[in-house]
Amino acid sequence: MQKLKRWFKSEQFKMKIQPEIKRTIAVMVFTLIYGLGVKWFLEASTVHLYTGGIPGIAQVIRDLMVLNGIIPRGSVTGDYFMSVFIIIANIPVLILGWFGVSKRFTIYSFVSIVMQSLVIGFIPKFELGIGGSEHALLASLMGGLLIGLGVGGALKFGTSTGGIDIIAQYVSLKKGQSVGFISMLLNIVIALFGAIIAGQDKEAVHSAAGLVFLYTIIRIIATTIATDKVHTAYHHVSVDIISENPQEMIQTILVKLHRGMTLSKVQGAFSHKEKTMMTIIISSYELDTLRELIKQTDDKAFIIVRPVKHVFGNFKKKTIA
C-alpha cells in the first residue's frame, strides 16, 4: 500500500500518467455533451437543424435517403446509419490527423469518434418540451452551445470530436487561424445542402429551406462562439515568474516545457532582496503544466499572467497532445 501511495505521489505519475487520465475523462465527458446537444436539441426540433462536421454530413445524407424512401421516416435505422457513417467517414480524416497534427491527438480523437457514434446512434431522444416550431430558436441556441462546449472542451484537453475539427486543427496549427472560425466556414456548406434537401421534404412539418438555413446559421454562430471561448490552445499568454531560487526552475522549464525565457534582475520593495524575473510566452493550454513545474521547484514564487494578442519571431507552435 505504501509503495502504491509513493507511486501516486511520484513525478512520473503526476507528469505522465495523471494528465492522460484527465484527458481520457475529458474526452468522454465532452463527447457526451456534444452528442446530447445533437440528439436532444437539434434532432428533437420540428425544424430541421444540422450540426457540423461528419455528423452534419451524416444528417444531410440521411435526410436525403428519407426523402427518397430509402430509410423510413422517424425510424431508428436513420440513427444507426449516422452511427456507422461517423466511423467510416472519419477514417481519412484520422489519417490526416495522424501525420499532420499529432499521433496522441489522433488516438484520443478516435476514442471520441467511437463514443460520439454510440451516443448519436443509440441514446434515445429525450423529450424536453421543445418539439414545437416556436421552440426552434431555443433548440438551435442550446444545441449550438452544447456542441461548441463539447468541441472546445475536447480541443482544450488535447483531442477533438473528429471530422472537420481535425481539419480545422491542422489548418490552425499551420496557419494560426481560429479553430472556431475555420469550422464555421466549412459548416455553412452543410447548412446550405441541408436546407435545400429539407426544402424539398413536403411531408415535414416545417420544411422551408430559408427557415432551416437561418436557424442552422444561428446554431453555427452559437457553436463558434462557445468553441473559441472554451478552446484556448492557440491563444497566448505572457508569464512573469519572480523567484529567489531560479536556477532549478529555469532548468526544469527548459527541459520539460521546451520553452525559452528572458531573465531580468529585480529587487523586492520591502525585503530589498535581489530576485530573478523569468518572462516566458506560452500557449494557454500549457499554463497548468507551467504552474505545476513552478510549484515543484519554488512554491513561494510570484506569478503574473497576461494575455498576448500576437507573437512574432522564433516561437514554436506545438501540437496540443
Side-chain angles (χ1 to χ4, degrees):
M1 184 63 73
Q2 291 298 324
K3 200 171 185 180
L4 188 62
K5 287 182 179 179
R6 284 197 299 270
W7 182 73
F8 279 123
K9 293 180 180 179
S10 68
E11 185 178 341
Q12 181 185 17
F13 177 79
K14 289 182 178 180
M15 299 303 296
K16 293 184 178 181
I17 299 174
Q18 191 175 42
E20 302 304 325
I21 294 173
K22 287 174 63 177
R23 186 175 286 122
T24 302
I25 295 172
V27 168
M28 298 175 69
V29 170
F30 285 111
T31 301
L32 178 62
I33 292 171
Y34 175 95
L36 294 182
V38 174
K39 199 70 181 256
W40 287 2
F41 289 93
L42 303 192
E43 291 281 277
S45 175
T46 54
V47 177
H48 289 261
L49 296 174
Y50 293 91
T51 186
I54 301 298
I57 296 172
Q59 281 181 298
V60 170
I61 296 175
R62 180 204 59 193
D63 288 351
L64 184 61
M65 295 171 75
V66 169
L67 184 64
N68 289 279
I70 299 172
I71 294 178
R73 187 179 301 274
S75 168
V76 292
T77 305
D79 294 339
Y80 298 155
F81 167 80
M82 288 181 62
S83 180
V84 174
F85 185 89
I86 288 168
I87 296 291
I88 295 175
N90 268 294
I91 293 174
V93 184
L94 286 169
I95 293 172
L96 173 67
W98 183 269
F99 291 104
V101 181
S102 162
K103 292 179 174 60
R104 187 181 297 174
F105 172 84
T106 307
I107 290 169
Y108 279 106
S109 297
F110 175 73
V111 173
S112 177
I113 288 164
V114 172
M115 185 173 176
Q116 178 189 139
S117 172
L118 295 174
V119 172
I120 293 177
F122 296 95
I123 285 187
K125 296 182 180 71
F126 189 75
E127 180 56 52
L128 294 172
I130 57 170
S133 59
E134 68 275 15
H135 301 128
L137 178 60
L138 176 61
S140 64
L141 285 173
M142 286 303 301
L145 289 173
L146 288 178
I147 291 167
L149 178 60
V151 171
L155 288 168
K156 183 174 183 177
F157 280 90
T159 180
S160 79
T161 51
I164 288 177
D165 298 330
I166 294 180
I167 298 172
Q169 182 70 23
Y170 175 81
V171 175
S172 181
L173 182 63
K174 301 301 180 184
K175 303 294 184 181
Q177 297 179 19
S178 164
V179 170
F181 179 72
I182 295 166
S183 296
M184 181 180 69
L185 292 179
L186 295 174
N187 288 332
I188 285 174
V189 177
I190 295 173
L192 183 61
F193 278 101
I196 292 171
I197 293 170
Q200 298 178 34
D201 190 355
K202 303 306 179 184
E203 294 185 34
V205 179
H206 300 283
S207 59
L211 193 67
V212 172
F213 181 74
L214 291 175
Y215 273 124
T216 301
I217 290 297
I218 291 173
R219 195 283 306 164
I220 291 172
I221 293 171
T223 297
T224 302
I225 293 171
T227 299
D228 273 355
K229 287 295 181 182
V230 175
H231 171 239
T232 58
Y234 295 107
H235 299 167
H236 303 111
V237 294
S238 173
V239 182
D240 291 333
I241 311 157
I242 300 174
S243 172
E244 295 181 18
N245 305 296
Q247 293 307 316
E248 184 182 354
M249 188 183 301
I250 292 170
Q251 188 63 26
T252 300
I253 293 172
L254 288 173
V255 172
K256 296 186 177 179
L257 203 59
H258 305 290
R259 292 293 192 191
M261 65 189 74
T262 301
L263 306 180
S264 305
K265 292 296 181 182
V266 295
Q267 187 180 66
F270 291 102
S271 66
H272 298 291
K273 289 183 178 179
E274 188 177 85
K275 302 179 182 181
T276 299
M277 182 170 73
M278 296 153 274
T279 302
I280 180 171
I281 306 295
I282 58 173
S283 296
S284 295
Y285 82 96
E286 295 176 296
L287 185 58
D288 286 342
T289 303
L290 178 61
R291 287 176 59 190
E292 184 63 32
L293 292 175
I294 294 170
K295 185 178 178 181
Q296 290 176 10
T297 53
D298 183 2
D299 59 3
K300 295 182 180 179
F302 188 74
I303 306 170
I304 305 169
V305 182
R306 293 186 295 269
V308 174
K309 191 170 184 180
H310 298 291
V311 180
F312 302 103
N314 186 23
F315 181 79
K316 183 180 178 182
K317 289 184 179 177
K318 300 178 182 180
T319 55
I320 65 177

